Amino acid sequence: MSEEPKSTISTLLITGLIALMGTIGGGLIKGYWDKQLADQKLNSDLLMKALESEVASERLETLAFMINTKLIKDKEIGVAVLSYLEEKRDSPEDIPQMRPSITMMNMEEAEEPAECLVQYGHTPCVGIENVSFQPCKDKLSCVQAQTVHSMQECKLAAMMACSNTQPGQLASKSIFAFYNGEQLASQGEFDFCLSYANRAQEYNHCPGRNKTDTVSTLAQKGLE
């Protein structure tokens, strides 16, 4: 074989290899930036959602909840929001209210609101009676329906429902969520409270009991 065909083949191989590397590199770069944009939109949507409440104190509490539970994953945004909360802690009425807007979601989602079912399960402390299982009132478990515009919004509602404001009366909670009939999971667990960031601080703190004693048979078996 002459030198010229060999040279031509080598040139073609090198050109093809460069093109292939360029395609792979371009795909990786595009994937990276797509993820960055998706994360930025998620953080923005979560913050806007936190500011929807008409009650100033609720806007403050929801923002604090998102920081404490690390729902806002961007560190710079988290630090900025935390600093803002410290500034507005004594004057929550200064935190602006954001009305729900279709600019926060794509048009298709805005035109087709979906159903989010949040299933609550409560495990009361042993010996505690007359507990109000909000929002289930006098029942250990219940299902609450709400209209959402994205799967993430449904997940957020479920995670926020894990908050235990009655650690002296409730040992723990179990929260399950369904978006348009599809069961959702958080970090691979259907029970959102298993990955709830404040679980150690808010669960199994019944008065006069060890942690292992406070969880009843209902909690051990789980909600069916």
Side-chain angles (χ1 to χ4, degrees), residues 147-161:
T147 299
V148 297
H149 295 89
S150 68
M151 182 182 295
Q152 187 61 38
E153 188 176 345
C154 188
K155 287 186 174 183
L156 175 60
M159 188 59 74
M160 292 182 68

Side-chain angles (χ1 to χ4, degrees), residues 5-212:
K6 289 181 178 179
S7 177
T8 301
I9 292 172
S10 298
T11 301
L12 291 174
L13 288 174
I14 293 173
T15 302
L17 180 59
I18 292 174
L20 178 60
M21 292 176 65
T23 300
I24 294 174
L28 291 174
I29 293 173
K30 183 179 184 301
Y32 171 81
W33 284 113
D34 284 349
K35 183 179 184 303
Q36 292 294 103
L37 290 173
D39 288 345
Q40 289 176 7
K41 183 180 184 302
L42 174 58
N43 287 326
S44 175
D45 287 353
L46 288 175
L47 290 174
M48 290 297 185
K49 186 67 179 175
L51 297 175
E52 285 184 8
S53 175
E54 296 181 358
V55 182
S57 60
E58 289 183 358
R59 297 197 293 272
L60 177 69
E61 291 173 1
T62 304
L63 285 171
F65 175 86
M66 289 182 176
I67 298 300
N68 292 335
T69 59
K70 295 181 174 57
L71 286 173
I72 302 299
K73 299 183 182 300
D74 188 290
K75 291 184 178 179
E76 291 186 2
I77 294 177
V79 170
V81 173
L82 186 59
S83 176
Y84 182 78
L85 289 177
E86 290 297 328
E87 179 185 339
K88 302 297 183 183
R89 188 168 300 279
D90 295 328
S91 56
E93 64 278 1
D94 292 339
I95 300 176
Q97 179 190 5
M98 298 295 181
R99 298 288 183 181
S101 168
I102 60 175
T103 59
M104 292 170 51
M105 59 201 76
N106 64 53
M107 293 298 294
E108 181 179 355
E109 289 177 328
E111 293 172 358
E112 298 181 6
E115 181 182 58
C116 175
L117 298 179
V118 178
Q119 178 181 329
Y120 292 76
H122 301 84
T123 302
C125 294
V126 176
I128 299 296
E129 300 179 354
N130 301 320
V131 182
S132 179
F133 304 104
Q134 297 300 327
C136 300
K137 297 182 180 179
D138 59 342
K139 297 180 179 179
L140 282 174
S141 63
C142 65
V143 176
Q144 296 288 315
Q146 57 183 284
T147 299
V148 297
H149 295 89
S150 68
M151 182 182 295
Q152 187 61 38
E153 188 176 345
C154 188
K155 287 186 174 183
L156 175 60
M159 188 59 74
M160 292 182 68
C162 289
S163 176
N164 182 13
T165 59
Q166 301 168 281
Q169 295 178 302
L170 294 179
S172 64
K173 284 185 175 182
S174 295
I175 299 294
F176 301 90
F178 301 83
Y179 177 76
N180 269 353
E182 176 186 353
Q183 186 166 13
L184 304 180
S186 173
Q187 299 183 21
E189 300 286 354
F190 288 128
D191 182 357
F192 276 68
C193 297
L194 293 179
S195 59
Y196 177 52
N198 288 353
R199 184 180 181 87
Q201 291 85 353
E202 298 178 11
Y203 286 24
N204 298 327
H205 290 289
C206 296
R209 300 280 183 174
N210 293 325
K211 290 185 178 180
T212 54

